[in-house]
Amino acid sequence: MQGKTLSIGLRAVLAIIAATLFVTSTWAAAQERVLLNFNGQDGRLPQAGLIFDAAGNLYGTTEGGGTGSNCGAFGCGTVFELTPAAGGGWTETVLYSFGGSPDGADPLAGLIFDAAGNLYGTTGAGGTYDYGTVFELTPAAGGGWTETVLHNFNYNVTDGYYPYAGLIFDAAGNLYGTTSQGGTYGYGWGTVFELTPAAGGGWTEKVLHSFPDYNGTDGTSPYAGLIFDAAGNLYGTTSQGGTYIFRGTVFELTPAAGGGWTETVLHSFGNGADADSPQAGLIFDAAGNLYGTTVEGGTGSNCIFGCGTVFELTPAAGGGWTEKVLYSFNANGTDGYYPYAGLIFDAAGNLYGTTRYGGTSSGCAPYGCGTVFELTPAAGGTWTETVLHNFGNGTDGATPLAGLIFDAAGNLYGTTSSGGTYGYGTVFELQVPATYSLTVSTTGNGTVTSTDGFISCPGTCSHSYPPNTQVTLNATPSGGWTFSGWSGACSGTGSCVVTMTQSLSVGATFTQNPIYYTLTVTTSGNGTVTSTDGYITCPGTCSHSYPLNTQVTLNATPGQGWVFGGWDGACLGTGSCTVTMTQPLSVDAIFSQALQFVPLSQPCRAVDTRPPNGNGPIQGNTHQDFPISGEGNCATLPNAAVYSTNVTVVPATRSLGYLTIWPAGEPQPVVSTLNSVDGRVKADAAIVPAGTGGAVSIYVTDTTNVIVDVNGYFAPLSGSTLAFYPLAPCRVADTRKSSFPTGLGPPSLTGGQPRDFPILNATSCNIPSTAAAYSLNFTVVPSGTLGYLTVWPTGQTRPTVSTLNDVLGRVIANAAIVVAGTGSDVSAYATNNTDLVIDINGYFAPAGADGLSLYAVAPCRVIDTRHVGSGQPFTGTLNPPVDVVNSQCGVSSLAQAYVFNATVIPVHSLGYLTLWPDGENQPVVSTLNAQDGSLTNNMAIVPAGTAGKVDAYANGLTQLILDISSYFAP
């Protein structure tokens, strides 16, 4: 483990307090000196910081190395002393080499002194039980040091184990620390412990607090040490746990009146751009505010989970604490990132610390070898970071994991965990020369650079120079901008030349030239779009160029017999579209007309990119257009406006991020149709409007073959079209259960043998005999691998299509519209033995008083629970229900059923998800299944509930996404 808190002993505290009195806030590029290169025998890989004694000697630990023989060639670690030599340099003495058992191994944390000059620390392993120790080193009368193990941690029900952090004393001489694991909660997620000297000798351990498993509130896995406040309360951090589970906390332990300690979580990390995963301990300022670092999180854009932060916690007036991120690190080649260690203050209130990676050195490419940094409070409550040293040049150290200390002259001391002459780490000193700081700021778009190369702003906007240095600055405007002049220490528009006799500030102002951006409007269907300024009337005049920041409002008016289905592109919803022209923008207006279903007597295959049928897979991050009518073995589909399809992917790589299908000629919507992150063959039903030339567009993130099967289409109303009649979701058949009527229950489907299902036998589902096609959801429960399942109208020849694929033998589902065959039955064929569950949510029949038509809308995301409230996954019934009408998609309040693509992102296993109309009882049906915890999709036609709302139930923890593509209404 890495990133341990530096704990300072009683004698060392005096030296450090004295040191801060001589520190100034003005630094140049500090001069680094390597005091010691570890060679293995004397220690290797120091991960902890240093302490001074009153005589100015340094003390520390190394994780490995030494002469202990029970840890192999790596060694069990050491305690070392560095003494200033009379003629310069430092002399190292190994005070103790650990041996594993019984004296401990892997001392990852720093040391503290007691008043008598004894050293105390922890080992992360070794000891009697090999779970770590607390040890004492006592100077021997004749020279040398004697080690005593004060406590052996044990893997049991109550004791903690793996103490990776250092210790602190209270006024009574008791020791306090943390363990990263162990405690009373089963496997254990860490403890806070106290060691008390016993009257007859020895020490007694007591667990003050056991951190539980991830329970949503308390922290887990404390890797850092503790600090006291003046009232005797303890403060620390946990690397994980809290409200956001894996992000960590700041906690307080308060002594209770009747004994024991009470824990309070002061802050849970991980909300939005907040800090994330603190590995180090805390410090107080004089006002009682807490300061610390996190390894991840923040707004830095070059790390997957953020590059780390420096944060402040301030007590709030009405109780509680308020967190503020003072600085977000960024892995940009100059800044450091991943700060594992804690912070120290100087007397001027500046903060100092280290980062494990980053900096300008190329010696550890591509990560950088780490930095020493300073944070200086700036006007307005902000903080400015300065990199004082970049590690990694030649025999310099690399990857510092520990914090820093000052000496009386204001020089900084610390360790690096690697690098140096032998590659096993170093002890270093940063010597601070006197300098003056030149700070540059810019307004507008442009850059300011110094001819010496030290300043390039934005980016590097300050540098410290020796006295009387002459610096020349030049301003270069960005394209479309003009340099207007200097402010501060310079004026005019020429080069700025300053002489550094004091710290100086220079401002550069850039003014934007007039900029125009084009707004382009397209329409689909019959309707017009007009701008309130009169420049756009589309069809006709469909674009106009506007000055930067112009606000434009567009209104959509459907033609007679059509409705407005919503905006796509720069706007969403069905209200007015208002955009601000900060870049070229495109807006598409979707107009739709009433459509009804035209069944196909047999499903057909329109697209198959696999050779020899097609020209090969769609390449990743590209899209292709595919005609549907008359393609493959499909006949011409007269007047087809929307296709009812089944889309199957056969990925060519190990993963397919997602596939999106939409009408050709329209902008690609921000929705997904299906995902196959594990690269398996998967299928998903989709109702897709026909685009330009009757084609559809298909985009894939990764190279994959694609198959599109068609089971019907929607066309303008005629005597041969069928209206839709929604039903309360209902289970039609279940081959697992004998309680179903004959033909709808057992036996299972036998592989290679078709079976007929008499749908009208499901009398409890209220399906009339007039039903000519059914909207069904098919769920397979295979006994092993299942190549594919095909469904079709009974009495017809089995078509060469597939409804779903299940090569891994999971419980999965897929929706399909199936025409009623002979006796109103449907047939199913599976390549392998499987049980089959069939649910219904509506049917198609000749138009009647209650019949509904389909209206296409701009594909739109109705809900994504990752971006609702705290963004946490849910289990059980989603609360509140999904409000479709009042979502950003603005779906018509006349809609009586919605066509969704449902996507789940389970945390672990998800047995099933059910969608149903709000206001009705939860039905005994399922919409999709994801027992293996994979990201899963399925189309779902869901009747609208009370006020247009839809309920969702998940029997496992999951996120839910609902994308809408159309709806049914009178």
Side-chain angles (χ1 to χ4, degrees):
M1 289 297 175
Q2 300 159 334
K4 307 302 169 291
T5 301
L6 181 65
S7 299
I8 310 298
L10 297 180
R11 291 175 61 186
V13 168
L14 299 176
I16 292 175
I17 292 176
T20 63
L21 299 179
F22 295 91
V23 177
T24 68
S25 61
T26 302
W27 288 70
Q31 301 299 310
E32 191 228 21
R33 182 167 63 128
V34 174
L35 307 184
L36 175 68
N37 289 283
F38 290 99
N39 62 22
Q41 285 296 311
D42 63 340
R44 66 173 77 193
L45 309 185
Q47 300 203 30
L50 304 165
I51 59 174
F52 277 112
D53 65 11
N57 303 307
L58 286 166
Y59 296 82
T61 63
T62 65
E63 178 191 6
T67 58
S69 60
N70 292 329
C71 300
F74 186 82
C76 298
T78 70
V79 173
F80 65 89
E81 175 190 30
L82 279 183
T83 305
W90 293 67
T91 302
E92 184 210 24
T93 304
V94 175
L95 304 184
Y96 189 75
S97 288
F98 291 93
S101 176
D103 61 339
D106 301 345
L108 295 165
L111 303 164
I112 59 174
F113 277 113
D114 66 9
N118 302 309
L119 286 167
Y120 296 81
T122 62
T123 64
T128 303
Y129 309 103
D130 201 22
Y131 288 108
T133 70
V134 174
F135 66 86
E136 175 190 32
L137 281 184
T138 306
W145 294 66
T146 302
E147 190 227 25
T148 303
V149 173
L150 307 184
H151 182 70
N152 285 283
F153 291 95
N154 190 6
Y155 184 90
N156 58 28
V157 176
T158 56
D159 194 13
Y161 60 97
Y162 296 159
Y164 293 136
L167 305 165
I168 58 173
F169 276 113
D170 66 8
N174 303 308
L175 286 167
Y176 296 82
T178 64
T179 65
S180 64
Q181 296 185 49
T184 58
Y185 295 93
Y187 174 74
W189 293 96
T191 70
V192 173
F193 66 85
E194 174 191 41
L195 278 184
T196 305
W203 293 66
T204 302
E205 188 226 23
K206 179 181 179 182
V207 173
L208 306 184
H209 182 71
S210 287
F211 293 94
D213 199 346
Y214 303 107
N215 64 358
T217 54
D218 197 7
T220 61
S221 303
Y223 289 147
L226 305 163
I227 58 173
F228 277 113
D229 66 8
N233 303 308
L234 285 167
Y235 296 81
T237 64
T238 66
S239 64
Q240 300 183 57
T243 304
Y244 303 96
I245 305 180
F246 297 108
R247 305 302 178 83
T249 71
V250 173
F251 66 87
E252 174 190 30
L253 279 184
T254 306
W261 293 67
T262 301
E263 188 222 25
T264 303
V265 173
L266 306 184
H267 182 71
S268 286
F269 294 99
N271 185 12
D274 190 13
D276 184 347
S277 302
Q279 303 273 333
L282 305 164
I283 58 173
F284 278 112
D285 66 7
N289 304 308
L290 285 167
Y291 296 81
T293 63
T294 64
V295 175
E296 296 179 337
T299 58
S301 60
N302 293 323
C303 305
I304 296 176
F305 300 108
C307 298
T309 73
V310 173
F311 67 87
E312 173 191 42
L313 278 185
T314 306
W321 293 66
T322 301
E323 187 232 19
K324 179 182 179 183
V325 173
L326 304 184
Y327 187 74
S328 290
F329 292 93
N330 193 11
N332 60 3
T334 56
D335 195 9
Y337 65 101
Y338 292 171
Y340 276 84
L343 304 163
I344 58 173
F345 274 114
D346 66 11
N350 304 306
L351 286 166
Y352 298 83
T354 63
T355 65
R356 179 176 184 178
Y357 296 126
T360 58
S361 172
S362 60
C364 303
Y367 306 108
C369 296
T371 70
V372 174
F373 66 87
E374 173 192 29
L375 277 186
T376 305
T382 61
W383 291 65
T384 301
E385 189 225 23
T386 303
V387 174
L388 306 181
H389 182 70
N390 294 280
F391 290 99
N393 297 313
T395 59
D396 191 10
T399 60
L401 294 170
L404 305 163
I405 58 172
F406 283 114
D407 67 6
N411 300 309
L412 286 167
Y413 295 80
T415 64
T416 66
S417 66
S418 62
T421 304
Y422 306 101
Y424 293 140
T426 69
V427 174
F428 66 87
E429 173 193 43
L430 282 186
Q431 298 175 337
V432 188
T435 59
Y436 294 119
S437 177
L438 175 59
T439 302
V440 175
S441 61
T442 60
T443 302
N445 284 358
T447 59
V448 175
T449 56
S450 59
T451 54
D452 57 24
F454 289 120
I455 292 177
S456 180
C457 185
T460 303
C461 293
S462 65
H463 187 71
S464 294
Y465 290 95
N468 298 313
T469 302
Q470 189 177 78
V471 184
T472 299
L473 301 174
N474 293 304
T476 304
S478 300
W481 292 72
T482 300
F483 177 52
S484 301
W486 303 102
S487 61
C490 285
S491 60
T493 57
S495 295
C496 167
V497 180
V498 294
T499 300
M500 301 303 298
T501 58
Q502 60 181 325
S503 293
L504 297 174
S505 296
V506 174
T509 300
F510 301 94
T511 304
Q512 188 175 29
N513 301 331
I515 296 177
Y516 287 83
Y517 291 118
T518 300
L519 174 61
T520 303
V521 174
T522 57
T523 61
S524 300
N526 189 350
T528 59
V529 174
T530 58
S531 60
T532 56
D533 57 24
Y535 290 118
I536 292 177
T537 301
C538 187
T541 304
C542 293
S543 66
H544 185 74
S545 292
Y546 290 95
L548 174 69
N549 293 321
T550 301
Q551 191 176 79
V552 185
T553 298
L554 302 173
N555 293 305
T557 305
Q560 186 173 0
W562 292 69
V563 299
F564 179 49
W567 304 101
D568 200 3
C571 285
L572 293 174
T574 55
S576 294
C577 166
T578 300
V579 295
T580 300
M581 299 304 299
T582 59
Q583 60 182 323
L585 296 175
S586 296
V587 177
D588 188 33
I590 309 296
F591 299 99
S592 58
Q593 62 183 142
L595 304 172
Q596 291 186 348
F597 188 61
V598 179
L600 297 182
S601 59
Q602 274 226 344
C604 62
R605 180 151 292 175
V607 176
D608 187 347
T609 63
R610 299 172 298 179
N613 303 305
N615 296 322
I618 304 174
Q619 297 302 306
N621 291 318
T622 68
H623 81 275
Q624 290 186 25
D625 296 343
F626 296 94
I628 298 298
S629 179
E631 296 297 315
N633 62 4
C634 292
T636 301
L637 310 177
N639 302 316
V642 174
Y643 306 112
S644 175
T645 69
N646 191 58
V647 181
T648 304
V649 292
V650 186
T653 62
R654 299 181 63 181
S655 176
L656 169 62
Y658 65 88
L659 172 147
T660 299
I661 184 169
W662 74 98
E666 296 182 10
Q668 180 180 339
V670 186
V671 299
S672 62
T673 304
L674 64 80
N675 309 72
S676 182
V677 293
D678 56 0
R680 76 176 79 170
V681 178
K682 295 181 73 172
D684 192 12
I687 292 179
V688 189
T692 303
V696 299
S697 293
I698 299 178
Y699 168 87
V700 295
T701 57
D702 305 272
T703 302
T704 185
N705 280 296
V706 176
I707 300 165
V708 180
D709 297 327
V710 182
N711 51 48
Y713 62 95
F714 293 84
L717 279 61
S718 70
S720 60
T721 59
L722 301 175
F724 180 68
Y725 298 83
L727 293 172
C730 181
R731 181 142 293 175
V732 170
D734 188 341
T735 64
R736 302 170 301 174
K737 297 183 178 181
S738 59
S739 58
F740 275 79
T742 302
L744 301 177
S748 304
L749 269 71
T750 301
Q753 297 182 17
R755 176 176 169 183
D756 301 340
F757 288 88
I759 302 300
L760 294 184
N761 280 13
T763 54
S764 62
C765 297
N766 299 316
I767 308 168
S769 60
T770 56
Y774 312 111
S775 176
L776 302 173
N777 195 55
F778 294 88
T779 304
V780 292
V781 186
S783 54
T785 185
L786 172 61
Y788 64 87
L789 173 86
T790 298
V791 296
W792 71 96
T794 299
Q796 300 290 331
T797 303
R798 173 163 59 92
T800 310
V801 300
S802 61
T803 302
L804 59 78
N805 305 74
D806 194 9
V807 294
L808 296 183
R810 313 294 194 206
V811 177
I812 62 171
N814 198 21
I817 297 176
V818 186
V819 174
T822 303
S824 297
D825 295 355
V826 299
S827 295
Y829 170 89
T831 56
N832 307 83
N833 295 344
T834 185
D835 276 304
L836 180 63
V837 179
I838 306 175
D839 298 326
I840 191 169
N841 50 52
Y843 63 91
F844 296 88
D850 299 326
L852 305 179
S853 298
L854 181 78
Y855 295 87
V857 301
C860 183
R861 185 146 289 176
V862 172
I863 189 173
D864 184 341
T865 59
R866 296 173 298 179
H867 306 304
V868 175
S870 64
Q872 295 301 298
F874 75 100
T875 184
T877 301
L878 181 63
N879 187 23
V882 181
D883 190 343
V884 183
V885 172
N886 293 309
S887 70
Q888 65 175 350
C889 303
V891 179
S892 171
S893 60
L894 300 177
Q896 295 186 19
Y898 308 115
V899 180
F900 292 127
N901 190 61
T903 302
V904 292
I905 308 171
V907 175
H908 299 296
S909 174
L910 173 64
Y912 64 90
L913 171 88
T914 299
L915 300 174
W916 75 96
D918 183 52
E920 299 183 8
N921 293 331
Q922 179 181 341
V924 185
V925 300
S926 60
T927 302
L928 56 79
N929 310 75
Q931 288 183 328
D932 59 355
S934 63
L935 193 155
T936 304
N937 326 83
N938 195 13
M939 188 187 81
I941 298 177
V942 185
T946 304
K949 297 178 182 178
V950 168
D951 285 330
Y953 174 86
N955 79 332
L957 199 61
T958 188
Q959 302 280 12
L960 172 64
I961 301 170
L962 292 180
D963 297 327
I964 191 169
S965 61
S966 53
Y967 64 84
F968 290 97

